[in-house]
Amino acid sequence: MRLAGAIGLEQLWVKRDDLTGLGGGGNKVRKLQYTCAQAVKAGATGVVTTGAPQSNHARLTAAAAARLGLSCTLVLAGTAPEAMRGNLLLDELAGARIVWAGTDPLAEVAAAQDGYVIPFGGTNAVSAQGYVDCAKELLTQLPDLDTVVVALGSGGTMAGLVAQLGPERVLGVDVGALPDPRATVAGLLNEMWAAAEGGMWAAGGTELGAVSESLRIDSTQVGAGYATVTEPVRAAMTLVARTEGIFLDPTYTGRAMAGLRAAKPRGKVVFLHTGGLPRLLV
């Protein structure tokens, strides 16, 4: 890749989970395979989830619900904007009902709606299995990979990758969505650990405590906060677009690429493109 040379990496691959086919693509599709299966198994006729106004998870939940014939209610933070753009426009196009929470806690407003509640970001110990599946795919495609770089939002994507690959091969770039991303990822791993047979992770048999301590998390790309765009992120987005014709979003993949550029991992590196392009259209 031209991008690898521009960054100064030995080898670089991009895992295109932005091209997963449903509702504009993105990493949430793998998680929704599990959470929507739970909803259908429970006999639900509709689903409810929460997020920020331009939530990728909300967009893909709306798309998944449409495909499954379920109603969808999205409880979003704040108040309605003057114009519906980006993900909000796609939410409505897919038939979702949008409830604006104002200053009320999202979880409380969601609990008052009618439908099966899918957690924030679609993330829990069950849905994280979607990225165990992804890690297995990566190992069939590039068995001797050294590092996977991924945006760390609600934590499930990183947790699933770590569960299969081990903490030393996963670098999560914090986007500022969580007050304590390390604790969240460790908590998800703890739940996955409790549900696993044999008491050891597939990746190296490492005990959970050691995994938690050795999580690789870059928190230097948050800047002034989740909703802001920093200059390193802007530069990363521009570089990828002008070397590979691949577009990143300013909140997740832009930050992840900025983190990759700063870290310059050695060996065979995979950048996990988790989607989010509609956010650019706001």
Side-chain angles (χ1 to χ4, degrees):
M1 299 183 76
R2 293 181 62 228
L3 178 60
I7 295 175
L9 301 182
E10 299 167 25
Q11 299 181 58
L12 175 65
W13 284 260
V14 178
K15 179 69 167 171
R16 298 297 302 272
D17 269 20
D18 58 319
L19 303 178
T20 44
L22 177 72
N27 64 320
K28 306 301 182 181
V29 174
R30 292 185 189 267
K31 298 178 182 181
L32 285 162
Q33 287 181 306
Y34 285 87
T35 50
C36 285
Q38 289 180 312
V40 171
K41 185 176 180 180
T45 59
V47 293
V48 180
T49 199
T50 60
Q54 288 295 327
S55 167
N56 295 317
H57 164 65
R59 162 177 49 90
L60 284 166
T61 300
R67 180 169 291 187
L68 294 170
L70 303 173
S71 67
C72 179
T73 300
L74 305 177
V75 177
L76 305 181
T79 57
E82 292 184 4
M84 303 295 270
R85 297 190 178 96
N87 278 325
L88 286 172
L89 183 62
L90 299 178
D91 296 340
E92 287 194 335
L93 191 62
R97 169 177 167 259
I98 298 177
V99 175
W100 294 97
T103 58
D104 294 334
L106 292 176
E108 291 182 13
V109 179
Q113 308 302 312
D114 185 20
Y116 182 95
V117 177
I118 293 175
F120 168 76
T123 292
N124 57 25
V126 173
S127 69
Q129 181 65 38
Y131 274 87
V132 174
D133 299 341
C134 179
K136 291 176 180 178
E137 283 179 22
L138 285 169
L139 291 174
T140 64
Q141 295 165 336
L142 191 64
D144 54 348
L145 67 87
D146 292 293
T147 302
V148 179
V149 180
V150 64
L152 169 50
S154 56
T157 300
M158 182 176 180
L161 293 172
V162 169
Q164 182 63 33
L165 299 175
E168 71 284 349
R169 290 202 282 182
V170 182
L171 172 61
V173 181
D174 180 18
V175 306
L178 298 169
D180 190 342
R182 180 175 297 275
T184 297
V185 175
L188 289 165
L189 287 166
N190 189 37
E191 292 182 59
M192 296 169 78
W193 167 272
E197 295 182 2
M200 304 294 269
W201 291 111
T206 309
E207 292 185 2
L208 177 66
V211 171
S212 178
E213 290 297 319
S214 59
L215 289 173
R216 297 175 61 197
I217 296 176
D218 174 4
S219 296
T220 66
Q221 303 301 326
V222 176
Y226 177 81
T228 64
V229 183
T230 67
E231 282 308 311
V233 170
R234 196 183 304 278
M237 293 171 64
T238 301
L239 179 65
V240 176
R242 295 182 182 179
T243 56
E244 299 295 339
I246 295 174
F247 299 112
L248 306 180
D249 83 286
T251 303
Y252 295 95
T253 52
R255 279 190 169 98
M257 182 56 69
L260 188 157
R261 292 185 74 194
K264 288 185 172 57
R266 301 185 65 179
K268 295 183 177 179
V269 179
V270 175
F271 177 76
L272 183 57
H273 193 322
T274 52
L277 183 59
R279 298 177 65 89
L280 279 175
L281 307 178
V282 179

